[in-house]
């Protein structure tokens, strides 16, 4: 019976997490749509083709992006863990059931430590951007070729458009990371105020 009051809190956390993820993906989709249309038009000088590429390609890219984002979330969050503890701690960290101190604590597992903090070092950001660029290139070429049946235009779109989109992706990802960090800091400050009151 003592656990029941926590159930509505968990539901709210799940809803808020899903809402933030949906908003992030939606904002990426809008950004991608605008950039895709502009790049396709610059290469083809055909508004109909540009709109076709701009509407169809971002749908596939947004799906690919959401998969890419989830895979990288797991890579960033779940390091040096295994078995039941990995599942439990990654789940509770994702739902923000751990406080800030707990998420940043280091454990000792057979001489290896790990942290629940989200690594944002330059090497990892660069690797994430490169994997996004490769994924984006493949999807862009396939979609452009399916629409135009012209391999030269498909390769041009597939080469130039992902470069532009990768720049915008990096900006989008950094803005979201900063926004989430600010929200987490405000939440931690509010909790600290509530505890001291």
């Amino acid at each position: 019976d003592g656990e029941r009051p926590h159930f509505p809190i968990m539901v709210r956390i799940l809803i808020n997490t899903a809402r933030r993820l949906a908003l992030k993906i939606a904002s990426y989709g809008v950004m991608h749509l605008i950039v895709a249309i502009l790049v396709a038009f610059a290469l083809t000088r055909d508004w109909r083709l540009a709109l076709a590429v701009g509407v169809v390609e971002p749908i596939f890219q947004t799906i690919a992006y959401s998969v890419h984002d989830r895979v990288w979330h797991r890579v960033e969050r779940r390091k040096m863990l295994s078995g039941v503890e990995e599942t439990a701690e990654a789940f509770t960290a994702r739902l923000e059931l751990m406080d800030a101190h707990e998420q940043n604590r280091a454990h000792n597992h057979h001489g290896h430590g790990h942290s629940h903090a989200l690594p944002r070092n330059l090497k990892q950001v660069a690797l994430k951007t490169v994997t996004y660029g490769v994924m984006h290139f493949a999807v862009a070429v396939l979609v452009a070729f399916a629409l135009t049946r012209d391999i030269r235009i498909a390769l041009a779109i597939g080469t130039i458009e992902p470069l532009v989109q990768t720049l915008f992706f990096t900006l989008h990802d950094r803005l979201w990371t900063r926004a989430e960090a600010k929200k987490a800091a405000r939440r931690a400050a509010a909790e600290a105020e509530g505890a001291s009151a």
Side-chain angles (χ1 to χ4, degrees):
D1 289 342
E3 296 298 320
R4 285 182 184 175
H6 296 290
F7 184 73
I9 296 172
M10 290 183 67
V11 171
R12 277 202 306 274
I13 291 171
L14 280 169
I15 291 170
N16 288 337
T17 301
R19 186 182 297 139
R20 284 199 305 271
L21 182 60
L23 187 59
K24 182 179 182 181
I25 292 170
S27 68
Y28 167 82
V30 171
M31 176 200 77
H32 195 292
L33 173 68
I34 295 168
V35 174
I37 291 173
L38 293 176
V39 172
F41 178 73
L43 291 171
T44 64
R45 297 296 175 181
D46 183 335
W47 276 113
R48 290 174 300 174
L49 187 57
L51 286 170
V53 171
V55 170
V56 175
E57 194 249 3
I59 292 172
F60 287 95
Q61 292 288 7
T62 300
I63 294 168
Y65 167 78
S66 63
V67 173
H68 180 269
D69 194 56
R70 294 303 294 166
V71 168
W72 268 96
H73 174 76
R74 290 182 181 181
V75 169
E76 290 168 337
R77 286 274 191 190
R78 298 164 70 178
K79 293 251 181 185
M80 297 182 187
L81 286 169
S82 61
V84 175
E85 186 184 24
E86 177 180 17
T87 303
E89 293 188 0
F91 181 73
T92 53
R94 181 60 178 163
L95 295 183
E96 299 169 358
L97 297 176
M98 293 182 181
D99 60 25
H101 173 71
E102 180 67 10
Q103 290 197 31
N104 287 292
R105 72 188 172 90
H107 298 280
N108 245 328
H109 277 291
H110 310 296
H112 299 288
H114 76 274
S115 171
H116 293 290
L118 187 64
R120 299 303 300 178
N121 60 63
L122 184 61
K123 181 180 177 182
Q124 191 158 326
V125 170
L127 184 58
K128 183 176 182 180
T129 302
V130 168
T131 59
Y132 168 82
V134 171
M135 175 202 75
H136 196 292
F137 172 77
V139 174
V141 170
L142 290 172
V143 171
F145 180 72
L147 290 170
T148 65
R149 297 296 177 184
D150 186 327
I151 190 63
R152 289 174 301 175
I153 291 177
L155 285 172
I157 291 173
T159 301
I160 296 169
E161 196 253 0
L163 292 175
V164 178
Q165 292 285 9
T166 298
L167 293 176
F168 278 88
F169 162 79
T170 304
L171 178 63
H172 179 268
D173 197 54
R174 296 302 291 171
L175 289 173
W176 269 95
T177 299
R178 287 179 185 177
E180 288 173 352
K182 285 179 181 176
K183 283 180 184 176
R186 284 198 300 268
R187 192 164 48 244
E191 287 172 1
E193 261 184 43
S196 62

